[in-house]
Amino acid sequence: MRQRKTFIPTTREVPASAEAISHKLLVKAGMVKQVSAGVYTYLPLANRVIEKIKKIIREEHEAIDAAELTLPILQAQEYWEQSGRWNKMGDELMRIKDRKGGAYALQPTAEELICQTVANMVTSYKQLPLSLYQIQTKFRDEVRPRLGLLRCKEFIMKDAYSFHDTSESLREAYKTYYNAYSRIFDRMDLKYRAVQADSGNIGGSYTHEFQALAEVGEDTIVYTDNSDYAANIETAKVPEENYSLVEFEKKEKELVETPNTGTIDAVAEFFGLEVNRCLKALALKADGELYLVLMRGNDQLNDIKFMKATGTSEIEMASEEEIDYMGGVAGYMGPLEIKNCKVVADTAVKYMYNYTAGANKLGYHYANINTGDYEVDAYYDLRMIEEGDLAEDLSGPVKFAKGIEVGQVFELGRAYSESMDIKFLDSNGKAQYFYMGCYGIGVSRLLSAIIEQHNDDKGIIWPKSVAPYQVHLLCVDVKKADQVALAEKLYEELKASKIEVLFDDRPERAGVKFNDADLIGIPLQVVVGKKTSEDIVEIKVRENNEKVEYASSQVIDLVKEFYK
Ligand code: ATP
Ligand code: MG
């Protein structure tokens, strides 16, 4: 492709809102153009990278016998009502109406429609297992679209769904997809970790996220250097082995006047204790029921672990009236003399001794509280894990890293087949609900994730497998006839050798061309310039910016060797 004929509007103008390096580079390199918040046009270069990504995904899905189909974006309300997600997804679900008033969801994912697809078509265990996938535009009304292609309202996702007669067959497919995903991300030269994760509103129980490591990532990954343990911080368990009982002399419980100690830090200061020796008590409402949640002063409640432990799905802070009803006082909450609520405590609380607790009385705390001074309905692992805590697999202390979720694999079990009422006949002729799995990859998000890991101060450095072109051929001065002649000759030869080549034939200054080439980041540059009369060209490897001169006749072989 001639650069004069395609559309690569490189620019120095970067929107002030662009925080992520990948966002800046996508705009600077003329790859995307924003249309509105979270909505982008993929310009020709980006489009080519997306096609490369899709190709890798398709090859790896064909290899595991997943068949591609295309589900509609426009999905009638009735299917979303059936699964219960028409309401559950809230404002994130984009909805539109047709002229007759019929309501539709713009697909954010497609569990409902894939169930509708196989309903009454896949009827026997003999047709199982079955894996179907699509690469399609998705819509989500994200609260805050940001970071370029990382969080959009409209984006491209690969979503696969598998159907099984047994949970064992599902687990096998899960492993197969897990391995296919590893190959897909390896082929894209991504540094990533597969981490245990939360299943969110999609249901199901067993799930891993594939997290590309990048500072800009919105997810925190918890891992250790001693094993392959890795989890999203949202689910990372704090094993009880983190705590130990210490020998101590039990002191007498005492009610103490503590004026102006409405914060945990003020309490710690008042008593001259470490914050973790002061009990924090949070008044919450979960699924309509009131809870008093007890933690060490420094610890943070992990909402997801709380909801899992208590089997609830929505939590909020208790209101003033509700705190009143519990017999508490905001800022002075404690487990003694509390009422009309469940009392749950983080495991760490079991190991506290002679600690302080709010007295449910304005300006008062108890000192020297110990186990047995009040009742606890249940102890759970409820707190956010911290760096240095012992990992769940006990292999050593955990570290944190930031990640971009580029893919996720789920075991859905039978949640959707039951709600969507789709069944098959087993070998005994008995109707059974399918076991299902679903597997997503953020195709457009990958563009950004790859750039986050592959760039330098000059621009993007595409991995070979997803580069928009294999070679960037530059004719330095199009006013020089000999340079044009040699460049044109090489252009024809490269094309004839089926090498994807972008030919910078623009009447631009050399500096502009070199800067643009580095910015766009095609892995190999072939520069036809000053030494044309000696039949010499310069080849630059973008990854290390090393330039070497070669006879023009060597170019094709060198390029082939590079891409072998
Ligand atoms: P996130 O936690 O980042 O919001 P998710 O867990 O809701 O993502 P999934 O439902 O698992 O997303 O979707 C599959 C994949 O689609 C994700 O792994 C991610 O790579 C991509 N994706 C999800 N939401 C967006 C978005 N708003 N913009 C771009 N890609 C997205
Ligand atoms: Mg996800």
Side-chain angles (χ1 to χ4, degrees):
M1 174 63 77
R2 288 172 190 276
Q3 208 158 329
R4 249 188 312 154
K5 295 280 169 66
T6 182
F7 184 49
I8 308 174
T10 55
T11 174
R12 284 161 195 265
E13 307 287 316
V14 176
S17 62
E19 305 159 48
I21 181 80
S22 56
H23 186 184
K24 289 186 189 132
L25 288 173
L26 281 165
V27 173
K28 277 191 178 173
M31 296 190 69
V32 298
K33 181 157 186 186
Q34 185 169 339
V35 179
S36 54
V39 181
Y40 287 85
T41 295
Y42 310 118
L43 297 170
L45 272 188
N47 215 61
R48 289 186 68 95
V49 177
I50 288 170
E51 289 306 315
K52 294 264 176 100
I53 293 173
K54 286 183 183 172
K55 185 163 177 278
I56 292 174
I57 292 175
R58 288 196 169 109
E59 285 170 4
E60 295 300 340
H61 278 68
E62 293 296 317
I64 60 168
D65 291 329
E68 186 170 4
L69 49 48
T70 302
L71 297 164
I73 288 170
L74 206 54
Q75 306 191 341
Q77 177 177 359
E78 59 175 296
Y79 302 110
W80 287 82
E81 290 285 3
Q82 227 177 313
S83 71
R85 287 207 292 184
W86 183 261
N87 287 326
K88 208 168 170 190
M89 279 203 66
D91 289 338
E92 199 176 310
L93 190 65
M94 299 271 235
R95 299 154 213 252
I96 59 166
K97 286 203 168 148
D98 66 15
R99 66 175 76 202
K100 291 188 180 133
Y104 300 82
L106 297 182
Q107 70 164 331
T109 165
E111 284 74 15
E112 286 76 2
L113 260 268
I114 201 74
C115 288
Q116 189 269 350
T117 307
V118 303
N120 307 317
M121 295 282 193
V122 179
T123 51
S124 160
Y125 73 98
K126 291 179 198 153
Q127 294 163 281
L128 300 175
L130 176 68
S131 251
L132 300 168
Y133 78 99
Q134 62 168 346
I135 302 179
Q136 249 294 27
T137 301
K138 299 287 186 293
F139 296 86
R140 291 185 189 180
D141 196 353
E142 298 279 357
V143 181
R144 205 159 72 86
R146 62 192 176 282
L147 305 172
L149 299 182
L150 288 176
R151 188 163 297 283
C152 286
K153 280 188 178 168
E154 177 176 333
F155 56 99
I156 306 171
M157 192 206 284
K158 185 285 306 188
D159 42 329
Y161 305 89
S162 67
F163 296 88
H164 309 269
D165 55 352
T166 63
S167 59
E168 293 77 28
S169 166
L170 168 58
R171 181 54 59 96
E172 210 165 292
Y174 185 93
K175 285 189 201 144
T176 303
Y177 270 97
Y178 184 106
N179 292 334
Y181 273 37
S182 304
R183 284 194 298 275
I184 287 169
F185 299 128
D186 284 342
R187 286 179 65 179
M188 294 174 190
D189 265 353
L190 271 179
K191 287 189 215 67
Y192 64 91
R193 283 230 178 202
V195 308
Q196 298 171 11
D198 175 55
S199 48
N201 82 2
I202 209 159
S205 49
Y206 194 59
T207 176
H208 282 86
E209 287 168 353
F210 286 77
Q211 295 276 358
L213 303 177
E215 263 318 301
V216 71
E218 297 175 292
D219 288 308
T220 300
I221 303 162
V222 176
Y223 68 98
T224 82
D225 285 332
N226 311 323
S227 72
D228 61 4
Y229 169 80
N232 190 307
I233 195 164
E234 293 177 343
T235 50
K237 292 197 177 75
V238 181
E240 194 155 348
E241 283 79 355
N242 268 288
Y243 317 111
S244 51
L245 282 173
V246 294
E247 294 253 343
F248 69 97
E249 201 181 308
K250 194 174 164 195
K251 294 189 183 160
E252 239 357 86
K253 179 178 88 177
E254 190 187 345
L255 184 66
V256 182
E257 191 174 359
T258 56
N260 304 318
T261 54
T263 66
I264 199 78
D265 288 331
V267 178
E269 200 181 322
F270 182 92
F271 285 98
L273 282 175
E274 283 167 36
V275 180
N276 267 355
R277 296 278 311 276
C278 304
L279 189 74
K280 184 158 80 177
L282 306 170
L284 297 182
K285 189 158 85 169
D287 290 3
E289 197 167 344
L290 294 170
Y291 286 85
L292 189 72
V293 183
L294 308 178
M295 349 240 326
R296 294 184 306 192
N298 259 341
D299 292 338
Q300 300 302 318
L301 178 66
N302 180 321
D303 293 359
I304 290 175
K305 290 205 287 191
F306 172 86
M307 290 189 285
K308 272 215 176 116
T310 55
T312 55
S313 58
E314 248 172 73
I315 54 171
E316 55 186 324
M317 300 301 281
S319 67
E320 227 169 279
E321 293 78 52
E322 284 157 352
I323 288 177
D324 234 25
Y325 177 65
M326 292 162 75
V329 176
Y332 297 87
M333 300 296 289
L336 287 84
E337 298 117 27
I338 200 82
K339 58 184 184 190
N340 299 327
C341 65
K342 276 194 177 156
V343 178
V344 296
D346 179 57
T347 315
V349 173
K350 251 195 255 179
Y351 296 84
M352 292 172 78
Y353 63 94
N354 294 338
Y355 52 96
T356 72
N360 298 318
K361 192 172 164 191
L362 189 65
Y364 283 87
H365 278 84
Y366 281 107
N368 304 326
I369 294 297
N370 282 293
T371 310
D373 287 342
Y374 58 89
E375 282 192 15
V376 173
D377 292 299
Y379 286 95
Y380 301 115
D381 166 30
L382 295 176
R383 72 170 172 94
M384 299 296 295
I385 198 163
E386 298 278 349
E387 262 180 304
D389 280 332
L390 188 60
E392 184 187 351
D393 70 351
L394 311 181
S395 66
V398 299
K399 291 185 175 174
F400 288 180
K402 288 285 178 192
I404 298 168
E405 184 195 318
V406 287
Q408 186 161 14
V409 290
F410 291 96
E411 279 192 5
L412 292 171
R414 293 194 280 198
Y416 282 90
S417 58
E418 281 173 16
S419 63
M420 301 298 292
D421 195 25
I422 53 164
K423 291 181 191 170
F424 67 95
L425 294 178
D426 69 13
S427 55
N428 301 316
K430 204 171 148 229
Q432 304 273 11
Y433 291 114
F434 294 94
Y435 285 90
M436 288 175 64
C438 77
Y439 319 88
I441 291 181
V443 175
S444 47
R445 179 180 281 187
L446 268 170
L447 227 72
S448 291
I450 294 168
I451 295 174
E452 284 296 329
Q453 293 187 3
H454 297 271
N455 68 77
D456 65 9
D457 56 355
K458 295 176 197 295
I460 304 168
I461 307 170
W462 288 109
K464 291 175 191 173
S465 60
V466 295
Y469 291 91
Q470 294 174 302
V471 170
H472 202 168
L473 175 65
L474 282 76
C475 179
V476 175
D477 188 349
V478 295
K479 288 203 273 316
K480 299 252 162 65
D482 61 339
Q483 287 190 25
V484 172
L486 180 57
E488 290 283 350
K489 183 170 156 259
L490 283 172
Y491 181 48
E492 293 307 323
E493 283 174 9
L494 286 161
K495 282 195 297 181
S497 302
K498 300 264 181 291
I499 291 161
E500 299 164 20
V501 52
L502 178 67
F503 177 22
D504 191 350
D505 57 347
R506 297 173 303 164
E508 291 284 355
R509 282 183 297 112
V512 172
K513 291 189 175 195
F514 293 142
N515 286 342
D516 277 357
D518 285 349
L519 180 58
I520 289 167
I522 294 167
L524 267 192
Q525 297 172 18
V526 176
V527 182
V528 178
K530 278 194 221 99
K531 294 205 174 162
T532 299
S533 57
E534 298 163 52
D535 210 23
I536 285 175
V537 299
E538 199 175 67
I539 295 193
K540 172 166 157 178
V541 177
R542 179 63 183 91
E543 193 169 11
N544 51 24
N545 293 319
E546 264 172 31
K547 297 177 208 163
V548 181
E549 291 181 349
Y550 290 99
S552 71
S553 58
Q554 290 175 283
V555 169
I556 301 291
D557 284 346
L558 284 164
V559 173
K560 282 188 180 159
E561 181 63 29
F562 184 80
Y563 279 102
K564 213 161 66 180

